[in-house]
């Protein structure tokens, strides 16, 4: 008798369920699969398809500018934005939720540090996918899991060596997330055969999974908040403005 005929273990899913045109090269993990859902990946792929030509153009422009500076040219202001520099204008008011940012703490999206930073007494915690974090697949995907748990308020960490459990205090710092800069590719996620843009992966996955929680818990004007790094031209800032507007409806 072949025991295999009778014994049918439940089928274990070992690959991500991806939308058309998306390929994941990173290790499969059941926790990561809760972040890398088909809908979330579709959202990231839509952002990538919408913005990839702008990003390529901006990166080529940076290379050209660097070449000119290396040859002795000096950086200057973009003549097309002269009317802004010379115009009369005031900034929109800072949203009340983040009006007081006198003390901020920053650090990588590592589980214990997220809890410690949110509990630290600082007004803001900037959770960093950029240069506080080595952008390995494990760090990036665990970081997304950790942030989702933090936004849900369920994050905890058991330090077995010290027999200490970490949980969020009632009062926590406001959470800002810093996605990677425009220049860093994410080679574990291919979209239409090309590496995804790192910041679109960091922003897209975090935004997709947490936007509704922010809105339900805190209403309009309360996040999610982002710290956008390493822009070298107003074009990069405009890109983010359009991108966030498209992702959430009205720009915030
Ligand atoms: C834009 C920017 O500023 S990018 C730079 C942002 N800052 C960082 O990335 C620093 C992050 N921290 C670290 O890399 C390390 O903690 C170091 C190198 C500073 C010190 O390392 P170690 O001496 O091994 O200390 P360790 O990592 O255990 O930290 C000591 C405690 O401080 C906490 N801690 C350290 N840095 C941070 C931080 N940035 N945010 C929150 N908690 C922190 C740790 O969680 C740990 O807590 P515990 O006492 O509950 O265990
Ligand atoms: O990367 C450092 C910063 O201050 O930005």
């Amino acid at each position: 008798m072949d025991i295999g005929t009778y014994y049918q273990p439940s089928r274990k899913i070992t690959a991500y369920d991806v939308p058309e045109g998306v390929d994941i090269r990173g290790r499969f993990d059941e926790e990561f699969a809760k972040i890398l859902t088909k809908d979330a990946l579709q959202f990231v792929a839509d952002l990538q398809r919408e913005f990839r030509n702008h990003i390529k153009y901006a990166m080529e422009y940076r290379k050209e500018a660097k070449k000119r500076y290396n040859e002795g040219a000096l950086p200057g202001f973009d003549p097309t934005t002269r009317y802004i520099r010379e115009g009369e204008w005031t900034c929109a008011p800072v949203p009340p939720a983040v009006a007081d940012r006198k003390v901020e703490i920053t650090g990588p999206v590592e589980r214990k540090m997220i809890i410690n930073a949110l509990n630290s007494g600082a007004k803001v915690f900037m959770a960093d996918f950029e240069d506080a974090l080595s952008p390995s697949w494990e760090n990036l995907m665990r970081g997304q899991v950790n942030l989702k748990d933090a936004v849900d308020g369920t994050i905890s960490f058991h330090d077995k060596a010290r027999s200490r459990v970490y949980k969020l205090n009632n009062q926590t710092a406001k959470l800002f997330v810093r996605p990677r800069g425009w220049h860093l590719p994410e080679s574990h996620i291919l979209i239409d055969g090309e590496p995804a843009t790192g910041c679109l992966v960091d922003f897209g996955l975090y935004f997709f999974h947490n936007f509704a929680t922010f809105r339900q818990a805190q209403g309009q004007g309360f996040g999610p908040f982002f710290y956008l790094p390493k822009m070298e031209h107003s074009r990069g800032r405009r890109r983010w403005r359009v991108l966030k507007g498209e992702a959430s409806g009205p720009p915030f």
Side-chain angles (χ1 to χ4, degrees):
M1 182 174 71
D2 176 6
I3 191 79
T5 319
Y6 297 90
Y7 176 63
Q8 297 271 324
S10 61
R11 200 168 72 85
K12 202 166 183 284
I13 297 170
T14 54
Y16 299 105
D17 182 17
V18 294
E20 180 90 31
V22 176
D23 189 13
I24 304 278
R25 298 286 169 92
R27 179 180 78 77
F28 180 82
D29 184 291
E30 279 172 22
E31 285 295 303
F32 301 172
K34 292 180 195 159
I35 297 295
L36 296 164
T37 60
K38 196 171 187 178
D39 287 347
L41 288 168
Q42 184 66 59
F43 181 68
V44 173
D46 288 348
L47 292 178
Q48 185 76 37
R49 288 173 182 141
E50 174 87 24
F51 290 99
R52 67 179 150 210
N53 289 340
H54 298 288
I55 297 168
K56 279 181 188 162
Y57 177 78
M59 293 306 108
E60 280 308 310
Y61 182 91
R62 277 189 190 183
K63 275 191 211 151
E64 279 297 309
K66 183 165 185 308
K67 194 160 163 274
R68 277 186 278 115
Y69 302 148
N70 288 349
E71 287 163 3
L74 292 176
F77 290 106
D78 179 355
T80 65
T81 56
R82 178 192 294 268
Y83 74 100
I84 299 174
R85 286 189 300 282
E86 294 180 358
E88 283 288 320
W89 50 272
T90 50
C91 289
V94 177
V98 286
D100 182 359
R101 291 175 60 184
K102 283 195 205 82
V103 178
E104 298 195 358
I105 189 168
T106 181
V109 285
E110 191 252 317
R111 200 162 181 89
K112 185 174 69 172
M113 270 194 222
I114 290 178
I115 302 172
N116 278 341
L118 287 170
N119 287 344
S120 67
K123 297 292 181 192
V124 165
F125 166 45
M126 189 271 271
D128 198 8
F129 282 99
E130 241 279 342
D131 50 16
L133 187 81
S134 300
S136 67
W137 181 243
E138 297 296 312
N139 284 351
L140 292 164
M141 291 305 122
R142 272 203 201 292
Q144 290 285 350
V145 172
N146 295 339
L147 287 180
K148 182 167 186 330
D149 291 347
V151 173
D152 289 346
T154 58
I155 190 168
S156 66
F157 176 78
H158 186 190
D159 184 340
K160 291 191 185 119
R162 288 196 281 172
S163 188
R164 184 173 164 193
V165 176
Y166 291 75
K167 287 192 171 151
L168 292 180
N169 294 340
N170 290 333
Q171 277 283 78
T172 55
K174 285 276 181 274
L175 178 62
F176 275 59
V177 167
R178 179 160 88 153
R180 282 169 283 178
W182 286 113
H183 58 299
L184 295 173
E186 179 45 66
S187 55
H188 296 95
I189 302 182
L190 300 186
I191 297 174
D192 304 329
E194 292 182 346
T197 303
C199 65
L200 297 183
V201 172
D202 303 340
F203 167 84
L205 294 176
Y206 175 72
F207 191 91
F208 184 89
H209 287 292
N210 298 293
F211 180 74
T213 312
F214 274 101
R215 284 296 185 257
Q216 274 161 17
Q218 300 174 314
Q220 292 284 338
F222 281 81
F225 295 109
F226 293 92
Y227 177 130
L228 305 173
K230 307 209 163 84
M231 276 178 274
E232 295 183 13
H233 196 280
S234 57
R235 202 183 292 117
R237 176 68 194 101
R238 270 202 307 276
R239 220 57 315 124
W240 273 115
R241 189 149 190 272
V242 174
L243 193 152
K244 287 198 285 175
E246 289 205 355
S248 59
F252 65 101

